[in-house]
Amino acid sequence: MNLLILLVERVGVLIALAFLFTRSAAFRRMVEGRMQPAERLWLGLAFGLSGVLGTYTGVVIGPEGAAPATLVGTPLLPEEAIANSRAVSVILAGFLGGPVTGLIAGALAGGHRLLLGGFTGLACGLATASQGLVAGLLRRMPGRMHSTLSPGSALLAAAVLEIMQMVIILLVAKPYPAALALVRMIALPMIVANSLGVAFFVVAARVILDAEAAKEADAARKALAIATQTLPILEQGLSPDSALEAARLIRSVTGMAAVALTDTERILAHVGIGDDHHRPGARLFTAVTRRAIAEDRTQVAPDAAAIECDHPHCPLQAAVVVPLHEGGQVVGSLKLYFNPERSRAPLELAEGLGYHFSTQLTLARAQRQAALLDKAEIRALQAQIQPHFLFNALNTVMALIRLDAGKAREVLGHLADFLRRNLQSTQEETVPLAREIEHVRNYLAVEEARFGDRLTVTYALDPAVQAVPLPPLTLQPIVENALVHGLKGVKRPWQIAIRAQVSGGQAEISVSDNGRGIDPDRLATLLDRPAASRGIQSGLALRTPYILMAPEGFRLPVSVAYPLGLAITAAIVILFALKVRPNFGILLPQGSDD
C-alpha cells in the first residue's frame, strides 16, 4: 500500500505537467488532427523527457526494501529496479500523437532507463518503447478508441499496457526468481497508479475541451441571437439610431463593459463605461479603431495602453475592434470593450458579430436597391398597362379559344397592337389623332369581345381632323373611364360614341356614354379639389375647366386640346404611375374584374 501511495504522488507530478500542455495551441491542433510532422516529433520528445522525469521520481526497489529515487540518480546496482510512472507519459504520447510519436517518446524514456542499469534495465527499456508503439497503434485501430478516447477506454488500455510491461520483465529480466519477486511487489501498484494517471489526464483534457467548446458555443449562440434581433434594426443601414439600438442589444446580451459602433470617421453609438467622452458624433478617439478601419483587419487591444485613447482618463481597459463591411467596402467598426482581469478577449464573439453585421448591411443595401429598382420598373410598366384590363383580356381569349378560334386570334392581334402602342408611347411627345383612334379601337375591340352584345361602340370621325396632333394616350384613358366608371351599374345595353369633326374652324372631339352620369353636386365642386377614389388619389383623369365628365359626354375643342396637350402629357404619365399595384409582376388583379 505504501508503494501505491508513493507512485500515485509521483503520477500527480506528471499529470500536472501534462495538464499544462493541454492549454497550448499545439494540443488543440493535435486533438483536431491538424498537427504537422515536425510537431509530432517535438511532441514525442516532450513526452519522452516527461517519461525520464517519471523514472527519476520513481521508487528504487532493492534487497533492503523500497526508497524514493533521487532526481539526478546514480546508476542502479545490479540487484536494484525502479517502480515508476514513466509509462504514463509514454502511453499518452501514443494515444495523442499516434505510433510514431509514441515510439519516439518510448525510445527516449526507455533508452534512458536502459542506461540506468539494474537487472531490469533491458526489460524496462524494451517494455517502455513497446508501450509507446502499441498505444499509438491502439489509437489508430477502428472503433471507439479511434473515434473518441474515453476515460474508461484509456484506463483499460493503460492497464493492458502495464500488464504487458510486467510480462516483458518476466521474459527478459535475469535472474528469473528476482524478476518474479519484483513483479509480485510492483505489478498491482504500478498498474493501478499508472492506469489511473492516464485516465485522469483524459478526464482533465475532456473537461478542458468541453469547457472551450461550451464557451465557443455560447459565443456562437450569443452572436446568432444578436444577429437575429438586429436584422430588422440594420435593414435601413448603419445610422446613429440603428447603431444605438444594436449597441444596447449587444451589451445586454453579452455583459461587455462597453459596446460601440462607428462609421469610418465618427462614433455612431457608445453604450457603457467611457460614454462621458466617447459620444455619438465625436471623432474616433482610439488609435486601435483607426487601425482596424485603415487596415481592414480585426485588432485586439489587451490593455488600456494598446487602445491608445486620446482622452487622458479613459476607463476602457481592453478591446476587440472588428471592421464592418457593406458591399465589400469598410463602412465602420464594431468595438467590444472588456475587463482583461475578468475575462479573455471575446475575439470569436466579436468576429462572429462583425461577420453577421456585415452580411446584414450588405443584404439590406441590396434589398433597398432591388426594391427601388423593382418599384421603378413596376411603375414604368403599369404606367403603360392596366393589370385589370390585361387580366380580363387574357381570360376573354382563353374563353374564345374554345368557342371561336378565329375570333381569339383577332382579339390577340388587337391586344398585341394595344400593348405595343403603350410601349411606344413613352418615346413620343405627340401623335396624330388617327393613331390615337386606332389605339382606342384596339382597346375597345378587346372589350367588345369580352362583353359581347352588352357593349356597342360607334365612331363618327371626320377625315379632316385625322392629322390633328395629340399627346399620346390621351383618348384611351377617357374611353376606359367611360366604360369602367361611366357605365358601372347600368343594366341596359352599354353605348359609347366617339366623335371627331370640324366645328367653327376647330377640331371637336367627344366621348359620350349612356351611363347615369355624375352627381351634379360633385360635378359643381369637381375642380375645387383633386378627385379622390377610395380615400386616396388613385384615379386617372384630365383635370381642366374645359374637360368635364357629364351625362352627355364632354367636348374638347382643338383650340384648347392642342395648347394644353404638351402640358398635360407629364400629368398623364404621373397619374398612370399612381395605378401601381403590388402584385402586378404576376399580372393578378387586386379587386374585382369589372
Side-chain angles (χ1 to χ4, degrees):
M1 180 60 68
N2 290 335
L3 180 59
L4 176 61
I5 294 174
L6 290 174
L7 289 176
V8 169
E9 290 177 351
R10 282 146 180 79
V11 167
V13 175
L14 297 182
I15 293 301
L17 293 176
F19 181 80
L20 293 177
F21 170 70
T22 62
R23 310 301 297 174
S24 66
F27 177 73
R28 174 58 60 89
R29 290 194 297 273
M30 177 188 62
V31 172
E32 296 175 353
R34 298 186 290 110
M35 290 191 69
Q36 301 297 322
E39 290 180 313
R40 295 183 183 277
L41 171 62
W42 288 112
L43 177 66
L45 294 176
F47 275 94
L49 292 176
S50 178
V52 172
L53 179 62
T55 300
Y56 277 132
T57 58
V59 178
V60 177
I61 307 296
E64 297 180 358
T70 58
L71 184 60
V72 182
T74 57
L76 296 175
L77 297 176
E79 65 275 11
E80 292 180 333
I82 298 181
N84 56 80
S85 57
R86 175 180 62 247
V88 174
S89 299
V90 174
I91 293 172
L92 288 176
F95 282 164
L96 298 175
V100 175
T101 303
L103 183 59
I104 293 173
L108 178 59
H112 169 264
R113 173 64 187 87
L114 176 63
L115 294 177
L116 286 181
F119 76 98
T120 62
L122 177 60
C124 290
L126 291 175
T128 302
S130 300
Q131 284 177 317
L133 177 62
V134 174
L137 293 175
L138 288 175
R139 185 71 174 122
R140 291 286 183 85
M141 290 177 60
R144 295 186 62 187
M145 280 291 293
H146 174 73
S147 58
T148 175
L149 185 62
S150 65
S153 300
L155 178 68
L156 178 60
V160 171
L161 292 175
E162 278 295 274
I163 292 173
M164 181 184 72
Q165 178 177 223
M166 300 303 156
V167 172
I168 292 176
I169 291 175
L170 291 175
L171 294 176
V172 177
K174 302 297 182 183
Y176 177 77
L180 180 60
L182 177 66
V183 168
R184 286 176 176 174
M185 179 182 297
I186 67 173
L188 184 60
M190 286 186 62
I191 292 172
V192 172
N194 291 345
S195 300
L196 288 176
V198 172
F200 182 80
F201 172 84
V202 173
V203 171
R206 291 192 64 175
V207 169
I208 293 171
L209 292 176
D210 289 345
E212 292 291 336
K215 186 179 295 184
E216 293 178 358
D218 182 63
R221 179 188 59 79
K222 290 180 178 179
L224 181 59
I226 294 171
T228 302
Q229 297 180 57
T230 54
L231 181 58
I233 299 175
L234 298 176
E235 283 183 347
Q236 301 303 318
L238 195 60
S239 65
D241 292 338
S242 64
L244 178 61
E245 194 172 351
R248 287 174 174 170
L249 175 62
I250 295 172
R251 189 165 187 257
S252 66
V253 173
T254 63
M256 292 289 154
V259 177
L261 285 160
T262 76
D263 58 19
T264 56
E265 297 179 352
R266 301 279 176 179
I267 299 172
L268 296 177
H270 184 102
V271 179
I273 62 173
D275 57 0
D276 58 330
H277 60 281
H278 290 271
R279 295 178 178 175
R283 61 182 177 84
L284 300 179
F285 283 93
T286 59
V288 67
T289 303
R290 295 192 290 269
R291 283 198 306 272
I293 293 174
E295 299 176 9
D296 190 12
R297 187 176 59 183
T298 299
Q299 301 288 330
V300 178
D303 51 41
I307 294 178
E308 299 182 64
C309 180
D310 295 344
H311 195 275
H313 304 293
C314 182
L316 301 174
Q317 302 179 46
V320 176
V321 184
V322 180
L324 299 179
H325 301 84
E326 182 178 315
Q329 295 182 343
V330 178
V331 295
S333 67
L334 167 66
K335 302 190 288 185
L336 302 184
Y337 294 100
F338 62 99
N339 187 341
E341 296 180 356
R342 298 179 182 178
S343 61
R344 297 173 56 189
L347 182 60
E348 294 85 359
L349 175 61
E351 290 186 334
L353 287 177
Y355 173 79
H356 284 300
F357 277 30
S358 297
T359 302
Q360 290 177 3
L361 290 173
T362 301
L363 288 177
R365 178 185 179 184
Q367 289 173 353
R368 291 195 303 271
Q369 292 176 340
L372 290 174
L373 180 60
D374 289 344
K375 189 175 182 180
E377 290 178 347
I378 290 174
R379 285 192 172 182
L381 288 173
Q382 289 198 326
Q384 300 163 358
I385 305 171
Q386 293 296 324
H388 267 162
F389 168 72
L390 186 57
F391 177 81
N392 294 328
L394 292 176
N395 277 340
T396 301
V397 172
M398 290 173 60
L400 288 174
I401 288 175
R402 296 191 300 267
L403 303 175
D404 189 344
K407 185 65 174 178
R409 287 193 298 270
E410 179 182 346
V411 172
L412 279 177
H414 288 296
L415 178 60
D417 290 340
F418 175 83
L419 297 178
R420 186 182 303 109
R421 177 72 189 115
N422 271 291
L423 294 173
Q424 293 173 349
S425 64
T426 58
Q427 303 174 4
E428 301 171 307
E429 293 184 359
T430 61
V431 295
L433 175 60
R435 288 182 56 183
E436 276 295 282
I437 294 296
E438 185 61 27
H439 188 56
V440 170
R441 288 183 184 274
N442 286 324
Y443 168 76
L444 288 176
V446 175
E447 296 291 21
E448 287 177 308
R450 175 188 170 199
F451 294 111
D453 295 335
R454 294 173 59 190
L455 174 63
T456 301
V457 181
T458 59
Y459 298 88
L461 307 174
D462 189 340
V465 297
Q466 296 294 306
V468 172
L470 292 175
L473 304 182
T474 300
L475 291 183
Q476 186 271 331
I478 298 172
V479 174
E480 182 177 357
N481 276 346
L483 180 61
V484 175
H485 301 291
L487 297 172
K488 186 176 183 180
V490 177
K491 296 183 179 180
R492 59 182 180 271
W494 300 340
Q495 297 178 4
I496 295 178
I498 302 173
R499 302 180 181 89
Q501 59 188 8
V502 178
S503 177
Q506 298 177 337
E508 183 179 282
I509 305 170
S510 67
V511 177
S512 61
D513 60 67
N514 64 337
R516 292 179 298 180
I518 190 170
D519 187 349
D521 293 335
R522 184 179 182 188
L523 180 60
T525 60
L526 193 60
L527 300 179
D528 295 337
R529 63 183 184 277
S533 175
R534 299 181 185 177
I536 60 173
Q537 296 182 25
S538 62
L540 180 65
L542 302 178
R543 184 172 181 267
T544 168
Y546 300 95
I547 304 176
L548 299 176
M549 295 295 295
E552 294 299 324
F554 69 89
R555 297 185 180 275
L556 180 64
V558 172
S559 61
V560 174
Y562 185 70
L564 292 177
L566 294 178
I568 65 175
T569 299
I572 292 176
V573 174
I574 294 173
L575 289 171
F576 266 112
L578 294 176
K579 301 289 284 185
V580 174
R581 292 188 176 131
N583 64 350
F584 172 73
I586 55 174
L587 299 177
L588 292 178
Q590 288 292 323
S592 63
D593 60 348
D594 57 347

